[in-house]
Amino acid sequence: MGETITFWVLAVVSVGAALGMVFNRKAVYSALMLGTVMLSLAVLYAVQDAPFLAAVQIIVYTGAIMMLFLFVLMLVGVDSSDSFVETLRGQRFWAVIAALGFGTLVVVAVGNAVFAPQAGLQQVTGAGGYIRSIALELFTKYVFAFEITSALLITAALAAMVLAHRERLIEKPTQKDLSRARFQGDHPSPLPGPGTYARNNAIDMPALLPDGSVAESSVNRYIARYDVEHDHLPADPRLAEAIRHTAEHEEAPTEAEQDATEHGSEVTK
């Protein structure tokens, strides 16, 4: 009874997550929906007394491959204003061919599962347990598909590195250059950490210097801008003024950013 209830509950969750993955407009949400489907499959494997498959489903697919997809999407980014112009000739034609082939495989698999005689769990695992049976099938009958899958995963990893690579407009500063610029600047010592000499240790709160004044350099400029935009300022007027002042400076481009922008425009020309 419990197995039946678990199946129907997870079936509804899996189908709903699959539909959300297909029809969602945001790629990150689609990846999260796919992770939900994979976790539901792992629970179904565990209910069917297959802990090895459940562990592999969680560790390999959900924990490794799914997180790889999610990190690539978050790193590269998907903009809705991306161009839809074809960069490869004939990709729509081959996409249609691939879709027809995939549909044929799905129909054959469903027909084989519905009309083929059931072998039963005892007959399948009679060669020494389900782990040995899975290993024999994987490395004998389906070894070609296994190797193709590993090649696809390696290709996906290489594609992620290629997509994440961006050309630099200016030369990357070395540690020697950074140290020299720090000692020639206004703050040769490291910046004070957030929460230092303060009553709370939080990254969004400015630090207090030993004389009781607010160290504006300890405020993260991105967090300060977020606090100002969403009105998450502290009650202390000194701290609020420091955060607001840091956010105003963050809006104005620095000299290094201006030089990088001018250099990039010259390279473009």
Side-chain angles (χ1 to χ4, degrees):
M1 184 64 181
E3 180 179 346
T4 305
I5 296 176
T6 304
F7 170 76
W8 284 109
V9 171
L10 292 179
V12 174
V13 173
S14 299
V15 173
L19 293 176
M21 178 190 66
V22 175
F23 294 106
N24 207 306
R25 293 180 178 272
K26 295 184 178 294
V28 176
Y29 294 163
S30 297
L32 294 176
M33 292 293 178
L34 182 57
T36 303
V37 175
M38 291 183 176
L39 290 176
S40 301
L41 288 177
V43 176
L44 290 176
Y45 288 146
V47 171
Q48 293 294 326
D49 295 331
F52 176 75
L53 290 179
V56 169
Q57 182 70 28
I58 294 177
I59 297 174
V60 178
Y61 289 96
T62 308
I65 301 176
M66 189 61 247
M67 292 302 103
L68 174 64
F69 292 162
L70 186 59
F71 289 158
V72 168
L73 290 174
M74 296 175 65
L75 182 64
V76 177
V78 179
D79 191 1
S80 59
S81 62
D82 290 341
S83 176
F84 291 97
V85 179
E86 289 190 22
T87 56
L88 299 176
R89 294 182 179 180
Q91 61 179 352
R92 294 188 179 182
F93 171 76
W94 292 110
V96 172
I97 297 298
L100 293 176
F102 180 74
T104 305
L105 291 177
V106 171
V107 172
V108 172
V110 172
N112 189 23
V114 173
F115 299 105
Q118 297 182 0
L121 185 61
Q122 296 296 332
Q123 181 180 352
V124 175
T125 60
Y130 65 90
I131 297 180
R132 180 178 176 83
S133 302
I134 293 173
L136 289 174
E137 293 290 331
L138 186 62
F139 293 103
T140 56
K141 185 178 179 180
Y142 300 103
V143 63
F144 181 74
F146 178 76
E147 295 298 335
I148 290 297
T149 303
S150 62
L152 289 176
L153 294 178
I154 295 174
T155 305
L158 294 177
M161 291 188 291
V162 171
L163 292 175
H165 176 73
R166 295 182 180 180
E167 296 292 338
R168 291 184 177 273
L169 298 178
I170 57 177
E171 185 179 357
K172 182 179 179 180
T174 61
Q175 186 175 6
K176 180 180 180 181
D177 297 333
L178 295 176
S179 300
R180 181 178 300 172
R182 188 183 70 180
F183 282 99
Q184 291 178 353
D186 299 332
H187 298 280
S189 61
L191 297 178
T196 308
Y197 300 108
R199 290 177 296 178
N200 50 356
N201 186 16
I203 193 172
D204 60 340
M205 297 295 293
L208 299 181
L209 298 177
D211 59 354
S213 60
V214 179
E216 295 184 1
S217 58
S218 66
V219 184
N220 188 292
R221 56 179 183 174
Y222 301 105
I223 297 180
R225 183 178 63 180
Y226 178 86
D227 289 341
V228 171
E229 292 177 353
H230 295 79
D231 197 16
H232 291 167
L233 299 177
D236 193 335
R238 295 187 306 161
L239 303 181
E241 182 62 26
I243 294 176
R244 191 178 294 107
H245 190 261
T246 303
E248 293 176 356
H249 277 281
E250 196 276 333
E251 293 178 357
T254 61
E255 295 181 359
E257 293 175 348
Q258 291 178 354
D259 295 340
T261 305
E262 294 176 358
H263 183 72
S265 61
E266 292 177 358
V267 171
T268 305
K269 293 179 181 179

